[in-house]
Amino acid sequence: MNAKQRKLIYRILPYAILTGIGICFVLPLLWVLVASVDPNAMQSLKMPSKVTGANYVEVITSSENQRAYLIGLVMSLGQAVLVVLLALLAAYPLSRYQMKYKKPFMLTILFMTSLPITAVMVPVYQLFLGLKLYDNILGVILFYVASSMPYGIWMMKNFMDSVPSDLEEAAWVDGASVFTGMRKVVAPLMVPGICTVAIFTFSGSWGNFFVPYILLQSPEKFPASLKLYQFFGQYGMVDYGSLAAFSVLYAIPAIIMYILSQQFMSKGFGLQGGTKG
Amino acid sequence: MSSLSVDVYPKRRKTYTWLFFLLPSIAIMLVFFIYPILLTFFYSFTNLALTGEAARELKFIGLDNYARMFQDPTVRISIWNTLVFLIGSAVIGQQVLGFLIALLMKQRNKTFRRVIGTIVLAGWVTPEIVCALCLYSFFGDEGTLNAIITFFGFSEVTWLFTVPMLTIILANIWHGTAFSMLVFQAALDDVPNEIEEAAVVDGASKWKIFTRIIIPYIKSTITTNMMLVTLQTLGVFGLIYAMTGGGPGNSTTTLPIFMYNQAFVNYQLGYGTAISLLLLLIGIVLSLLYIRSMKE
């Protein structure tokens, strides 16, 4: 092999490997997309004999599915709004004031951010039975809020640290209270941060299956994630077409949220600078 | 924090106004997050159950749940499965594959990068139950993978029965690799071009540049990413539960699945909490390591 050939291989090889990886990643995804418009969808990926919207119509017109979708939206949106509001409040003193136990507090928060939620589900279930919150949608929202609070506070504090305090001080000089300064000056400058936290919390619970699976019992209270599992787990996957259509519809909000987050996360996706006390 | 705030803010601070800002979030975390963790310690020493005699009378049974855990062969299998799943899907799979994709994508054609990047990201953005469904049908007996291999003249394989662990590992790789890819793309973009160029001028080989410049430069990202990915993987439940349900037999029963089975299928809540505690302890140790690696 001469030098020229070797150089050519070096240039082509990365493209070949990446294409191979790409194919492996795209096949399962392609199946769900194709099956959703195939009137005779099967387990394997195949060219549909004709393209139909019937699977989607079937899924969308079912009032049970509509309710599950709506409950999912209410849960995720409710959680996102609460987390943003509470985290914004909590981040303010953590970012602006000198406090005695700030550093250990922030480390505890960081520590809680990284604990697996799965591990606390059994005790949370017991707690919910005791508090009469079991099988209660509001209860699920409250648990979601609590479990995403550490992450929300952590992110929000870091975002707030990058908002300069001069503007806020100018507002005080003009007679604004701490609260007005926060609402009229700090919050507007933090829109990208607020959106990022909101999007992350929304996606977290929208895609979650375990939490509602443990904390809810009545099928009429199931959010979309649980409805899909029921569909997939109990009926032996007979109707691949509508199952795929449901999956696509269920994935859409998560995809929209991801695309939106790209607008706000201009700084990319580094892990640096996370530990500023 | 800007230096200005040190001087100005304390003057504005009326006594403990900051407490009112922090109170709501601390309260909700205490009730729904910290208290359940403490409950775990308490209940794991009891015979708490949803059915039978124990449901009527809660009793302290000391270390019985733990003694039982040490004797239970399924616990050993679950710990082993959890480790295999963690190392296979998180440490080797997502981390190495994510790094490889990020590295290979560097300096490639922009459109090509975007296409491959979007495909990998799609698996990450997709909710876990949809992932489970997509991969279940990919590996299914009449699924896409078998359709491909029979096309090439090989005989079908019952993937979910003969190599169930491999299928859930691959499923988790499919679902999670994009995270590592994004992290490593950002890190690799941070490596200053000048250093690499200088090394090229000095006649360093590609391998030397890789091992002596790139790897040391992004070392902290590697450790942080490894911890994060491991922690995320430790709690994986839905993907495994929907694809294999922990079976066949106990071959894909990881600790979260075993915990679920004990607490919610066999109604042994006390025993279930003892297993949660084990899972929590692994998580705590990993989190502490993670925080340490972030502080470095």
Side-chain angles (χ1 to χ4, degrees):
Chain A
M1 190 163 50
N2 63 34
K4 211 174 166 188
Q5 280 171 317
R6 185 177 295 175
K7 217 173 167 186
L8 192 71
I9 287 176
Y10 268 130
R11 277 196 50 188
I12 294 174
L13 200 63
Y15 284 101
I17 297 173
L18 283 175
T19 309
I21 294 171
I23 291 172
C24 293
F25 269 84
V26 86
L27 283 176
L29 208 65
L30 217 53
W31 172 79
V32 80
L33 292 175
V34 173
S36 73
V37 293
D38 186 342
N40 309 305
M42 297 201 308
Q43 199 179 42
S44 157
L45 178 64
K46 65 169 174 66
M47 270 302 273
S49 48
K50 66 178 177 133
V51 171
T52 173
N55 297 327
Y56 284 97
V57 173
E58 192 192 322
V59 170
I60 293 171
T61 50
S62 145
S63 62
E64 266 181 56
N65 290 345
Q66 289 168 357
R67 187 172 49 207
Y69 211 82
L70 199 68
I71 290 174
L73 280 179
V74 167
M75 273 185 185
S76 301
L77 285 174
Q79 178 212 14
V81 170
L82 281 171
V83 168
V84 163
L85 286 178
L86 296 183
L88 206 54
L89 278 180
Y92 188 76
L94 290 171
S95 170
R96 295 296 197 248
Y97 293 160
Q98 295 286 302
M99 287 183 319
K100 216 172 167 185
Y101 301 107
K102 187 151 87 184
K103 204 155 184 205
F105 183 79
M106 284 310 285
L107 280 176
T108 314
I109 291 282
L110 178 62
F111 169 68
M112 283 168 67
T113 318
S114 47
L115 281 182
I117 298 299
T118 315
V120 294
M121 282 324 289
V122 182
V124 166
Y125 169 78
Q126 288 152 4
L127 179 72
F128 270 53
L129 284 181
L131 292 175
K132 304 256 180 287
L133 277 172
Y134 179 65
D135 201 28
N136 182 329
I137 292 175
L138 187 67
V140 180
I141 296 178
L142 286 175
F143 174 69
Y144 271 141
V145 172
S147 63
S148 38
M149 220 53 242
Y151 160 84
I153 294 176
W154 181 263
M155 293 270 284
M156 209 65 107
K157 188 225 168 233
N158 282 340
F159 280 117
M160 206 177 270
D161 282 346
S162 60
V163 174
S165 49
D166 313 18
L167 292 170
E168 213 181 331
E169 282 151 23
W172 296 344
V173 173
D174 293 342
S177 69
V178 171
F179 204 74
T180 316
M182 193 174 158
R183 196 164 50 88
K184 294 251 171 92
V185 181
V186 184
L189 286 171
M190 284 188 61
V191 170
I194 290 173
C195 290
T196 309
V197 173
I199 288 167
F200 266 68
T201 13
F202 180 94
S203 311
S205 67
W206 181 257
N208 196 309
F209 154 78
F210 196 35
V211 173
Y213 191 55
I214 298 297
L215 298 181
L216 292 176
Q217 189 185 30
S218 324
E220 70 269 14
K221 290 178 187 165
F222 285 178
S225 57
L226 260 184
K227 191 87 205 156
L228 180 62
Y229 172 72
Q230 232 194 356
F231 213 170
F232 159 33
Q234 287 177 0
Y235 303 116
M237 305 226 298
V238 191
D239 193 353
Y240 287 106
S242 45
L243 191 55
F246 193 140
S247 301
V248 173
L249 289 172
Y250 168 54
I252 284 174
I255 294 165
I256 293 175
M257 286 296 154
Y258 177 75
I259 294 168
L260 284 177
S261 75
Q262 293 307 291
Q263 306 272 305
F264 298 111
M265 294 202 299
S266 49
K267 279 195 76 189
F269 204 84
L271 293 173
Q272 294 86 354
T275 35
K276 289 194 282 187
Chain B
M1 206 172 173
S2 75
S3 55
L4 239 183
S5 55
V6 178
D7 306 313
V8 180
Y9 283 88
K11 283 182 207 155
R12 300 279 312 186
R13 186 179 71 184
K14 296 184 192 95
T15 36
Y16 296 108
T17 41
W18 57 270
L19 199 62
F20 291 101
F21 288 114
L22 276 170
L23 213 57
S25 35
I26 290 180
I28 202 165
M29 282 192 287
L30 272 178
V31 176
F32 292 107
F33 204 50
I34 297 166
Y35 179 58
I37 294 176
L38 298 178
L39 267 184
T40 314
F41 287 92
F42 172 69
Y43 280 131
S44 68
F45 298 106
T46 68
N47 65 345
L48 187 69
L50 282 183
T51 53
E53 211 176 312
R56 268 164 268 139
E57 203 182 348
L58 187 68
K59 257 203 321 232
F60 261 99
I61 52 169
L63 291 170
D64 282 9
N65 284 326
Y66 294 96
R68 186 172 156 192
M69 226 161 66
F70 279 110
Q71 282 156 10
D72 191 338
T74 324
V75 171
R76 255 167 282 159
I77 295 171
S78 313
I79 294 176
W80 173 249
N81 285 341
T82 309
L83 283 176
V84 172
F85 184 67
L86 276 181
I87 293 171
S89 77
V91 180
I92 299 176
Q94 294 180 13
Q95 170 110 344
V96 173
L97 187 64
F99 183 76
L100 185 76
I101 296 173
L103 192 70
L104 289 176
M105 277 217 213
K106 228 187 151 188
Q107 292 156 355
R108 299 295 156 229
N109 174 291
K110 228 177 166 180
T111 320
F112 182 78
R113 264 181 83 136
R114 189 163 296 163
V115 171
I116 300 291
T118 309
I119 291 172
V120 177
L121 269 167
W124 185 51
V125 174
T126 306
E128 68 176 336
I129 287 301
V130 179
C131 286
L133 170 64
C134 287
L135 285 135
Y136 183 91
S137 53
F138 183 74
F139 287 112
D141 293 350
E142 282 148 33
T144 310
L145 186 57
N146 275 339
I148 294 171
I149 63 170
T150 46
F151 178 81
F152 285 106
F154 298 98
S155 50
E156 286 181 6
V157 178
T158 49
W159 301 101
L160 289 152
F161 286 92
T162 41
V163 279
M165 184 49 96
L166 186 69
T167 63
I168 59 165
I169 286 176
L170 290 175
N172 198 45
I173 292 174
W174 190 81
H175 184 37
T177 298
F179 179 81
S180 301
M181 177 187 83
L182 290 173
V183 168
F184 285 125
Q185 270 181 333
L188 287 174
D189 283 345
D190 272 358
V191 179
N193 278 328
E194 303 86 64
I195 305 183
E196 271 181 82
E197 279 157 19
V200 172
V201 172
D202 290 345
S205 67
K206 285 216 158 169
W207 179 248
K208 272 246 164 79
I209 294 177
F210 178 69
T211 51
R212 300 280 173 81
I213 296 172
I214 296 181
I215 294 283
Y217 203 89
I218 62 165
K219 214 171 135 195
S220 68
T221 308
I222 296 175
T223 34
T224 317
N225 186 58
M226 181 137 85
M227 288 313 306
L228 276 181
V229 168
T230 314
L231 280 162
Q232 281 163 12
T233 308
L234 187 66
V236 170
F237 174 83
L239 196 66
I240 304 175
Y241 187 67
M243 276 184 76
T244 65
N250 282 320
S251 55
T252 52
T253 302
T254 54
L255 280 173
I257 304 272
F258 186 60
M259 176 193 89
Y260 172 81
N261 283 336
Q262 288 307 315
F264 300 108
V265 180
N266 299 339
Y267 302 121
Q268 296 300 311
L269 284 175
Y271 191 42
T273 20
I275 301 155
S276 322
L277 196 69
L278 180 66
L279 190 62
L280 208 59
L281 282 178
I282 300 176
I284 288 171
V285 171
L286 288 172
S287 302
L288 290 175
L289 280 170
Y290 161 53
I291 290 169
R292 245 182 82 181
S293 80
M294 261 188 104
K295 278 171 82 181
E296 267 166 17

